[in-house]
């Protein structure tokens, strides 16, 4: 990255411009000169400058007026200004200069060391700012490419994985050998877990690259949808108790596939991280006219230090067993809720139980 900085010198006298340029001559500094306020504004439109040294006493447009115009323009608003003046220090003059956007004053006759030191500070700040902007751009681009790669990879993995799952299912059904059937069952279980991971990875990429998880709203009976998800989890975990309570009107306009995914992730999270002997309680509340509430409670508490990071991708799951996923479940829950213009919250009540609550407007979009 080019470390050369540009400094704009503005003075109506050529000899002053020559002297200033000579004082600031340095391998990493390029000086631009202007003999009037209009020339200075033209130069500022054409170049990004690290500092503007402006003489106050100029005909037509003086240095204070030029500084005021620079501060009122979006492109030049952030350019530091040092005003050069031959007059003696005057409080009203100083106040006017700072009010118009000057960062500092230098009085003539100019002390070369003071000028170089003050200008050097602004040059160094500009270089640091440019370096930070460059690093931010590189890291942002790297993140974008990584997420795009993950999306493409996840999409391309689904076809061969589907073939593997189909073959394992066929072997399990047709084989009469118990060992082969058991091996096929393990392959099916592992393949389904891998498919969930791929789906989570694709959802992460959609959320980060596409500005959120896409939804396709339609009329939905939330009671029936959640009942189905609860029954599926109860069948998969017969040793655990999952209860469902509902009240009020639970109809609305949402994406049924995404809401099933949201509910499944919350119940799956409770099954995995709640106390094994405790009940998982799912509640639906449609008593409010404009919104519905879904809550999932389980026995066991969350450490307060972890709560602010529960919905961050990967962070929530980095200290736990990743055998069942990538740690994206709660992040996806949050993204689905946001896609429906809703919200998700978590409350841990002492050492007894934890409740995740999702609130969504009935329109969902």
């Amino acid at each position: 990255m080019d470390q050369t900085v540009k400094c704009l010198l503005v003075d109506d006298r050529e000899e002053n411009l020559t002297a200033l340029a000579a004082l600031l001559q340095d391998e990493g500094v390029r000086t631009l000169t202007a003999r009037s306020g209009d020339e200075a504004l033209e130069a500022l439109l054409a170049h990004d400058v690290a500092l503007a040294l402006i003489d106050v006493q100029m005909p037509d447009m003086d240095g204070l007026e030029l500084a005021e115009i620079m501060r009122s323009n979006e492109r030049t608003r952030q350019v530091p200004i040092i005003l050069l003046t031959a007059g003696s220090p005057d409080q009203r003059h100083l106040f006017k200069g700072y009010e118009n956007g000057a960062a500092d004053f230098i009085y003539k006759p100019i002390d070369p060391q003071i000028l170089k030191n003050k200008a050097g500070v602004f040059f160094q700040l500009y270089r640091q700012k440019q370096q930070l902007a460059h690093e931010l751009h590189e890291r942002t681009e790297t993140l974008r490419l990584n997420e795009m790669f993950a999306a493409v990879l996840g999409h391309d993995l689904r076809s061969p994985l589907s073939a593997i799952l189909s073959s394992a299912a066929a072997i399990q059904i047709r084989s009469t050998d118990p060992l082969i059937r058991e091996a096929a069952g393990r392959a099916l279980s592992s393949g389904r877990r891998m498919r969930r991971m791929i789906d989570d990875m694709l959802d992460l990429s959609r959320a980060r690259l596409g500005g959120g998880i896409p939804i396709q709203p339609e009329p939905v009976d939330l009671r029936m949808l959640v009942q189905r998800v609860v029954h599926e989890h109860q069948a998969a975990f017969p040793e655990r108790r999952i209860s469902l309570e509902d009240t009020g009107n639970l109809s609305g306009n949402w994406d049924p596939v995404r809401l099933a995914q949201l509910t499944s992730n919350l119940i799956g999270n409770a099954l995995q991280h709640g106390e094994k002997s405790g009940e998982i309680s799912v509640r639906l509340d449609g008593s409010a006219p404009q919104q519905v509430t879904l809550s999932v409670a389980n026995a066991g508490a969350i450490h307060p230090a972890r709560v602010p990071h529960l919905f961050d991708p990967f962070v929530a799951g980095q200290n736990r067993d990743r055998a069942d996923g990538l740690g994206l479940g709660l992040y996806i829950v949050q993204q689905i809720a946001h896609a429906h213009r809703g919200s998700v919250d978590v409350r841990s009540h002492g050492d007894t139980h934890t409740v995740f609550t999702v609130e969504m407007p009935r329109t969902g979009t």
Side-chain angles (χ1 to χ4, degrees), residues 275-292:
E275 292 184 5
K276 306 305 180 185
S277 59
E279 176 183 336
I280 295 170
S281 175
V282 182
R283 290 186 172 87
L284 295 170
D285 185 355
S287 56
Q290 301 298 326
Q291 70 175 30
V292 297

Side-chain angles (χ1 to χ4, degrees), residues 33 86 137 176 180 206 304:
T33 59
H137 174 75
T176 58
I180 294 178
R206 292 189 189 104

